[in-house]
Amino acid sequence: MTNQHETQARVSAEALRGPAVDGTATRTEPLRRDIPQASVARLAVYLRALGVLSDDGRPIVSSEELATAAGVGSATLRKDLSFLGPNGVRGVGYDVERLRTRIEGVLGLDQGHRVILAGVGNLGRALAGYHGFQRRGFAMVGLFDTAPAVIGRTVAGLRVRDMASLAHAASALAPTVAVLTVPDAVAQQVCDQLVAVGVRCILSFVQAPVTVPAGVELRRVDLAMELQLLSFSTSRNQDGAVAQ
Amino acid sequence: MTNQHETQARVSAEALRGPAVDGTATRTEPLRRDIPQASVARLAVYLRALGVLSDDGRPIVSSEELATAAGVGSATLRKDLSFLGPNGVRGVGYDVERLRTRIEGVLGLDQGHRVILAGVGNLGRALAGYHGFQRRGFAMVGLFDTAPAVIGRTVAGLRVRDMASLAHAASALAPTVAVLTVPDAVAQQVCDQLVAVGVRCILSFVQAPVTVPAGVELRRVDLAMELQLLSFSTSRNQDGAVAQ
DNA sequence: TAGATTGTTAATCGATTAACAATC
DNA sequence: TAGATTGTTAATCGATTAACAATC
């Protein structure tokens, strides 16, 4: 859903926790823990708010203030952070830089990401040059297409490569994420190619449903559906019910 | 966040129900009903599946089959549809065209939508020409920007207008939805302008938080956050936890 | 009528929230 | 120590699911 109706995917966070500080392991039970999908999504929101605080030079922030900045309740924030283990100091608050680093680690952002994009059409071109990606640590490293008219052209500072060279190029580019912006008709086939060369994370903007094998994560952004959901709110508002 | 961590926005569906068939109104209590946000999102998914069935010429579909096509359980589907009142025939199934029309009506898609776009940059240009919008009944009718270099140019068959002419143009274009693809720094100001000319539905691709007055619906698509959420899944997978 | 499938009820499950004990 | 704020527990709330009665 954006998007969309995800089932409650829960995720092991054991290893994310890092090595236990306490070697004696007094408590053995709660080693394995899951982070609800909704909490993970909010972690990304907190990260953004922490970035702003960091730019302002704020060293410490309370759950109350950070929660307000993120638009959630402080109880929700503390509950979310508790999934990552202790992060703050009672009576004081959270160290902005430390919490930021922690969340980045949990979200797997600490190594940075190398992104390739398949399908350099209208949308693909825009995403190739989208500064929002770079700003958050996602570097676009390769563009691929099958159309001879597009191959070889330079888009967003990168030369568009032939899709046929994907296997060879991928070993050098070592992509960690792929963006899929190809036409519906070839989406599944291109997706299969991406999986075949080792991509394990795909962000799809294709309307048609695309399936991936277990172990590969596919996330779908459906722009038209976003408009449809907006549309629902409108029709509601027009029907006399007052927005609160 | 596409989406993103939405609080459980619930929505009046009383009027959506249409006039009661039974004029005698034997039951007075359950006239007002809410549709959970998650159900609304799935309605859009069902709509897409119904479109495929319709193209195939299928007159009737069972909850079991439609649910499978949409990737949910049949109980969930029937529960979702029950919010719209009776839609099927017991022992038979759902009339594909009738259900499709019903959901379109509930989502407010039956009148079509007229979309204007503010900010004809990289992303704006791509969205202006995005066929997925048209395909689902959203017609792009106006493009606006402030840069002299862009104003007057033709993008996706439309001449880019000066943002200063928004008020005048809006009265003729009668937009029902606006897409916001301007730089962070001017996002709030442009959003205010859109609201001022009567736009009540805004789809924002801006990273910075933008606020709207009550009665205006703003939905945010955060493309970088989508990648971050994918990133989390990756780091999970790499940590030895097996994807199920 | 027998068979099938909807619409709804009740049970389960998970997420949110408030309250507070732990502790800096 | 007193004040403050976290991390956690327990209660609330809502959404999902299974089962089945209604009914075509």
Side-chain angles (χ1 to χ4, degrees), chain A residues 143-162:
Chain A
L143 310 178
F144 296 86
D145 206 301
T146 52
V150 178
I151 295 168
R153 282 180 50 188
T154 297
V155 171
L158 293 171
R159 196 180 57 81
V160 178
R161 300 165 192 244
D162 189 337

Side-chain angles (χ1 to χ4, degrees), chain A residues 2-3 201 219 226 231 234, chain B residues 2-3 107 201 219 226 231 234:
Chain A
T2 229
N3 32 104
C201 265
R219 205 173 163 85
E226 297 292 335
S231 171
T234 323
Chain B
T2 287
N3 20 29
L107 294 181
C201 266
R219 204 175 163 86
E226 297 291 336
S231 171
T234 322

Side-chain angles (χ1 to χ4, degrees), chain A residues 159-195:
Chain A
R159 196 180 57 81
V160 178
R161 300 165 192 244
D162 189 337
M163 196 68 203
S165 72
L166 176 66
H168 180 256
S171 62
L173 296 174
T176 52
V177 183
V179 172
L180 191 65
T181 45
V182 299
D184 281 29
V186 298
Q188 185 63 61
Q189 179 214 321
V190 173
C191 180
D192 292 345
Q193 288 183 262
L194 291 168
V195 171

Side-chain angles (χ1 to χ4, degrees), chain A residues 1-7 9-13 15-16 32 35 37-38 40-45 47-48 70-72 105-109 113 115 122-133 135-136 138 176-179 184 200-203 205-209 214-239 241 243-244, chain B residues 1-7 9-13 15-16 32 35 37-38 40-45 47-48 70-72 105-109 113 115 122-133 135-136 138 176-179 184 200-203 205-209 214-239 241 243-244:
Chain A
M1 86 151 346
T2 229
N3 32 104
Q4 90 221 48
H5 68 93
E6 22 244 332
T7 54
R10 299 183 131 253
V11 173
S12 163
L16 300 175
R32 180 166 279 274
I35 307 183
Q37 169 99 14
V40 174
R42 283 190 299 262
L43 287 180
V45 179
L47 190 57
R48 180 162 213 288
V72 303
V106 169
L107 294 182
L109 302 173
H113 277 281
V115 185
N122 250 346
L123 189 57
R125 260 194 306 279
L127 295 178
Y130 184 53
H131 293 301
F133 288 158
R135 217 183 303 160
R136 303 244 206 136
F138 293 87
T176 52
V177 183
V179 172
D184 281 29
R200 290 293 166 264
C201 265
I202 298 171
L203 187 63
F205 290 83
V206 174
Q207 307 255 337
V216 177
E217 200 74 20
L218 183 131
R219 205 173 163 85
R220 220 174 128 246
V221 175
D222 189 329
L223 299 172
M225 183 175 294
E226 297 292 335
L227 281 184
Q228 290 184 333
L229 296 180
L230 257 184
S231 171
F232 174 68
S233 314
T234 323
S235 71
R236 180 235 322 193
N237 288 340
Q238 287 174 348
D239 286 331
Q244 27 87 14
Chain B
M1 184 170 2
T2 287
N3 20 29
Q4 91 221 49
H5 67 96
E6 22 243 330
T7 52
R10 299 183 131 253
V11 173
S12 161
L16 299 175
R32 180 165 280 274
I35 308 182
Q37 171 99 13
V40 175
R42 283 190 298 263
L43 287 180
V45 178
L47 190 57
R48 179 162 213 287
V72 303
V106 168
L107 294 181
L109 302 173
H113 278 281
V115 185
N122 251 347
L123 190 57
R125 258 193 307 279
L127 295 178
Y130 184 53
H131 292 302
F133 287 158
R135 218 182 302 160
R136 303 243 206 137
F138 293 87
T176 52
V177 183
V179 173
D184 280 30
R200 289 292 166 267
C201 266
I202 299 171
L203 187 64
F205 290 83
V206 174
Q207 306 255 339
V216 177
E217 200 75 20
L218 182 129
R219 204 175 163 86
R220 221 175 127 247
V221 175
D222 189 329
L223 299 172
M225 182 174 294
E226 297 291 336
L227 281 184
Q228 290 183 333
L229 296 180
L230 258 183
S231 171
F232 174 68
S233 314
T234 322
S235 70
R236 179 239 320 196
N237 287 340
Q238 287 174 348
D239 286 330
Q244 29 86 14

